[in-house]
């Protein structure tokens, strides 16, 4: 991951944290948690799809 992506992920994480604590209702906090999990899951799946398995050298 390059520096730009790391910085962007840090900013997004801080913003998500700010929104989470600004929300008062537990049900809405649960929706935020579920959304964040879905995003992480899809990004991990995308990263796994981009990694090519190493095979024998040709």
């Amino acid at each position: 991951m390059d520096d730009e992506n790391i910085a962007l992920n840090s900013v997004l994480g801080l913003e998500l944290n700010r929104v989470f604590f600004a929300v008062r209702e537990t049900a809405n906090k649960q929706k935020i948690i579920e959304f964040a999990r879905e995003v992480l899951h899809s990004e991990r799946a995308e990263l796994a799809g981009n990694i090519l398995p190493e095979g024998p050298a040709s």
Side-chain angles (χ1 to χ4, degrees), residues 25-44:
E25 295 82 21
T26 302
N28 288 334
K29 285 186 177 189
Q30 188 62 36
K31 288 178 184 178
I32 293 169
I33 292 169
E34 290 170 8
F35 175 75
R37 285 182 179 153
E38 288 175 17
V39 170
L40 281 173
H41 181 71
S42 66
E43 286 185 0
R44 286 179 180 161

Side-chain angles (χ1 to χ4, degrees), residues 3-50:
D3 291 340
E4 184 177 324
N5 283 339
I6 292 170
L8 180 59
N9 285 340
S10 295
V11 170
L12 290 174
L14 290 172
E15 187 63 17
L16 179 61
N17 196 30
R18 184 190 68 76
V19 169
F20 182 80
F21 285 105
V23 171
R24 294 177 190 256
E25 295 82 21
T26 302
N28 288 334
K29 285 186 177 189
Q30 188 62 36
K31 288 178 184 178
I32 293 169
I33 292 169
E34 290 170 8
F35 175 75
R37 285 182 179 153
E38 288 175 17
V39 170
L40 281 173
H41 181 71
S42 66
E43 286 185 0
R44 286 179 180 161
E46 183 179 318
L47 283 174
N50 289 339

